[in-house]
């Protein structure tokens, strides 16, 4: 139970974030939950590595943590981050970072968490609340 809780705590944070938005919790709580969800999906969620192998055609299937980080191979650790900045083809980047539906869902969580944090700051300013 402890290991699974340590690996998947971010999904509990997603549920809490949804409740926070629907129940209109205070701004600091919504921002903290939003940042926690984004950080979890980007750097801690258990996924496949997805970095390009040496043959240039296949992708690594080792276990990794976070959609932006690689596996235990030193070359793979920063390859996905470098592809964001120095990518030659957008298709290579999307196949490496989002190889399966699980990674696409986790990327959605990361982007949703960032948008939630931005909205939590902007909405009260725009509405005067």
């Amino acid at each position: 139970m402890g290991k699974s809780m340590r690996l998947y705590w971010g999904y509990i944070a997603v549920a809490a974030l949804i409740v926070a938005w629907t129940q209109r919790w205070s701004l600091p709580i919504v921002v903290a939950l939003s940042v926690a969800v984004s950080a979890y999906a980007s750097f801690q969620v258990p996924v496949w590595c997805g970095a390009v192998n040496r043959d240039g055609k296949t992708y690594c299937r080792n276990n990794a943590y976070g959609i932006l980080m690689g596996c235990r191979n030193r070359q793979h650790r920063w390859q996905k981050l470098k592809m964001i900045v120095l990518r030659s083809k957008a298709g290579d980047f999307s196949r490496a970072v989002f190889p399966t539906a699980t990674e696409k869902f986790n990327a959605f969580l990361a982007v949703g968490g960032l948008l939630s944090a931005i909205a939590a700051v902007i909405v009260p300013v725009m509405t005067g609340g």
Side-chain angles (χ1 to χ4, degrees):
M1 177 77 179
K3 183 177 180 181
S4 63
M5 186 65 153
R6 198 171 8 125
L7 288 176
Y8 298 107
W9 65 268
Y11 295 116
I12 296 170
V14 169
L17 180 61
I18 292 169
V19 170
W21 273 107
T22 58
Q23 300 296 318
R24 297 184 182 251
W25 288 0
S26 67
L27 175 69
I29 294 172
V30 173
V31 171
L33 285 171
S34 300
V35 170
V37 167
S38 294
Y40 171 76
S42 297
F43 300 108
Q44 194 176 2
V45 68
V47 294
W48 286 337
C49 174
V52 179
N53 288 325
R54 290 181 189 251
D55 63 6
K57 297 176 185 172
T58 60
Y59 298 96
C60 179
R61 304 272 309 238
N62 291 333
N63 293 330
Y65 293 100
I67 59 173
L68 296 179
M69 299 305 293
C71 63
R72 68 182 181 276
N73 298 332
R74 187 185 323 166
Q75 183 181 6
H76 292 181
R77 285 185 192 143
W78 296 104
Q79 183 180 13
K80 288 172 38 174
L81 285 175
K82 284 193 279 187
M83 276 197 294
I84 293 172
V85 178
L86 304 172
R87 66 180 182 261
S88 59
K89 298 181 206 169
D92 288 342
F93 170 71
S94 66
R95 277 190 299 278
V97 176
F98 316 118
T100 65
T102 303
E103 280 80 5
K104 289 175 182 150
F105 177 71
N106 291 324
F108 173 75
L109 289 180
V111 171
L114 286 175
L115 292 176
S116 174
I118 292 168
V121 172
I122 291 176
V123 168
V125 171
M126 299 303 275
T127 61

